């Protein structure tokens, strides 16, 4: 198991601006879900792609150095223009390509808190790693407050804001016709999550949000997680149950006058999960 310092150093680089890994040639894997929906796996948060007669739009865009590889993967799917990029939250492994794709003509769309945090810059205290203000060209052009929708390529994509979960500006994207959800970083498939308490997030908010996702979906729904492979409902349920157990252990430790770290140490560690940082 990696040391806490090593894990935090890695996560800090992922959250803020990328590291040397992002500079290397990383192959982008394309997973086809329907005739119009795809998931791209590269370096950073998983990307959702809608491609069809109205062009292309993306959910997240990873790190800036990944843009050429992402464009190659998108062009292998469709020759249509990238019209829109939706950011699921402000972290650099999901928004790093904004400036590059904006120059390609895409409009950037996100919750209003995403633009606010990117515009001001952030300090994730536990990582001691500041995120400087984003350049103007990387900021979302369009923002929303609670719910919005995209009507392109023959189906509706519902954009649903979730407050106080992974951050205070999370967006879930749900395609009811295709029965697909992009969860952003509310769901790490095969990993313990990062929950950014320094940006208004909290584990109980994630648990509640995932409960709402389960209420809206069914046994056939497929889930694009923020990180990890394409997931099933069973995967999402197992992840949420793990969070509930971890939260109960940590809060129970606090109630006994112990530290959260002690509660975390007492919580189960599924073998399929790799250690990370959680916000309580």
């Amino acid at each position: 198991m990696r040391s806490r310092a090593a894990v935090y150093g890695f996560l800090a680089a992922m959250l803020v601006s990328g590291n040397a890994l992002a500079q290397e040639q990383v192959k982008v894997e394309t997973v086809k879900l329907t005739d119009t929906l795809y998931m791209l796996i590269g370096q950073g948060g998983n990307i959702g792609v809608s491609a069809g007669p109205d062009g292309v739009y993306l959910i997240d865009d990873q790190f800036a150095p990944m843009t050429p590889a992402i464009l190659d993967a998108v062009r292998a799917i469709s020759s249509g223009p990238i019209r829109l990029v939706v950011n699921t939250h402000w972290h650099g492994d999901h928004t790093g390509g904004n400036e590059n794709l904006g120059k390609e003509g895409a409009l950037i769309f996100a919750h209003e808190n995403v633009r606010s945090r990117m515009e001001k810059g952030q300090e994730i205290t536990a990582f001691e790693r500041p995120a400087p203000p984003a350049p103007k060209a990387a900021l979302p052009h369009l923002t929303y407050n609670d719910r919005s929708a995209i009507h392109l390529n023959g189906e509706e994509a519902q954009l649903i804001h979730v407050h106080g979960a992974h951050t205070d500006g999370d967006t879930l994207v749900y395609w009811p016709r295709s029965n697909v959800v992009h969860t952003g970083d509310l769901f790490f498939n095969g990993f313990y999550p990062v929950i950014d308490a320094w940006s208004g997030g909290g584990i109980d908010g994630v648990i509640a949000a995932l409960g709402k996702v389960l209420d809206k979906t069914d046994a056939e729904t497929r889930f694009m997680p923020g990180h990890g492979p394409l997931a099933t409902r069973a995967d999402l349920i197992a992840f949420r149950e793990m969070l509930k157990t971890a939260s109960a252990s940590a809060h129970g430790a606090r109630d006994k006058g112990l530290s959260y770290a002690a509660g975390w140490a007492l919580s189960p560690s599924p073998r399929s999960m790799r250690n990370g940082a959680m916000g309580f």
Side-chain angles (χ1 to χ4, degrees), residues 47-125:
I47 296 174
V49 180
S50 172
D54 298 319
V56 176
Y57 66 88
L58 306 183
I59 313 301
D60 289 332
D61 51 29
Q62 300 190 354
F63 295 114
M66 287 298 299
T67 301
I70 291 166
L71 289 175
D72 286 345
V74 171
R75 287 167 182 153
I77 295 169
S78 171
S79 60
I82 298 177
R83 299 181 58 182
L84 187 70
V85 175
V86 176
N87 294 149
T88 60
H89 59 289
W90 75 266
H91 291 153
D93 59 319
H94 296 256
T95 64
N98 281 11
E99 184 172 6
N100 294 335
L101 291 172
K103 291 176 181 177
E104 294 283 327
L107 290 173
I108 313 300
F109 189 31
H111 186 264
E112 59 191 20
N113 289 348
V114 173
R115 180 181 169 97
S116 176
R117 289 192 177 277
M118 291 179 68
E119 191 170 29
K120 295 175 183 176
Q122 299 298 306
E123 174 76 45
I124 302 180
T125 305

Side-chain angles (χ1 to χ4, degrees), residues 27-275:
K27 181 180 179 181
V28 175
E29 176 187 356
T30 300
V31 180
K32 183 175 181 178
L33 283 77
T34 70
D35 287 341
T36 59
L37 289 180
Y38 303 78
M39 183 173 81
L40 304 183
I41 304 172
Q43 181 69 49
N46 291 331
I47 296 174
V49 180
S50 172
D54 298 319
V56 176
Y57 66 88
L58 306 183
I59 313 301
D60 289 332
D61 51 29
Q62 300 190 354
F63 295 114
M66 287 298 299
T67 301
I70 291 166
L71 289 175
D72 286 345
V74 171
R75 287 167 182 153
I77 295 169
S78 171
S79 60
I82 298 177
R83 299 181 58 182
L84 187 70
V85 175
V86 176
N87 294 149
T88 60
H89 59 289
W90 75 266
H91 291 153
D93 59 319
H94 296 256
T95 64
N98 281 11
E99 184 172 6
N100 294 335
L101 291 172
K103 291 176 181 177
E104 294 283 327
L107 290 173
I108 313 300
F109 189 31
H111 186 264
E112 59 191 20
N113 289 348
V114 173
R115 180 181 169 97
S116 176
R117 289 192 177 277
M118 291 179 68
E119 191 170 29
K120 295 175 183 176
Q122 299 298 306
E123 174 76 45
I124 302 180
T125 305
F127 295 146
E128 298 180 351
R129 187 76 174 267
K136 183 177 179 180
L139 296 175
H141 306 100
L142 306 169
T143 61
Y144 79 104
N145 177 262
D146 182 40
R147 289 175 178 262
S148 191
I150 300 169
H151 298 271
L152 294 172
N153 298 327
E155 67 177 314
E156 177 190 36
Q158 298 177 4
L159 276 57
I160 303 166
H161 170 55
V162 179
H163 188 78
H166 177 62
T167 67
D168 62 4
D170 298 309
T171 293
L172 289 163
V173 185
Y174 175 42
W175 293 269
R177 194 194 74 179
S178 293
N179 203 8
V180 171
V181 177
H182 192 305
T183 66
D185 277 3
L186 295 173
F187 180 22
F188 284 54
N189 189 20
F191 294 80
Y192 281 127
V194 175
I195 298 175
D196 187 354
W198 309 277
S199 296
I203 188 171
D204 294 328
V206 176
I207 293 167
L210 294 179
K212 293 177 181 178
V213 172
L214 290 168
D215 289 343
K216 285 183 68 72
T217 56
D218 58 36
E220 304 303 317
T221 307
R222 288 174 290 176
F223 299 90
M224 300 187 206
H227 298 270
L230 187 69
T232 65
R233 183 179 181 87
D235 295 325
L236 185 62
I237 290 172
F239 176 80
R240 183 170 182 262
E241 289 302 309
M242 180 274 296
L243 292 183
K244 288 167 67 176
T245 302
S247 178
S249 296
H251 288 306
R254 181 196 62 182
D255 293 343
K256 294 176 182 177
L258 302 175
S259 68
Y260 276 127
W264 175 246
L266 293 171
S267 64
S269 181
R271 284 180 293 175
S272 63
M273 299 287 177
R274 290 182 282 277
N275 193 26

Side-chain angles (χ1 to χ4, degrees), residues 7-20 22 63 92-93 127 129:
V7 170
Y8 275 23
F10 171 76
L11 293 173
M14 288 289 287
L15 287 173
V16 178
S17 61
N19 58 15
F63 295 114
D93 59 319
F127 295 146
R129 187 76 174 267

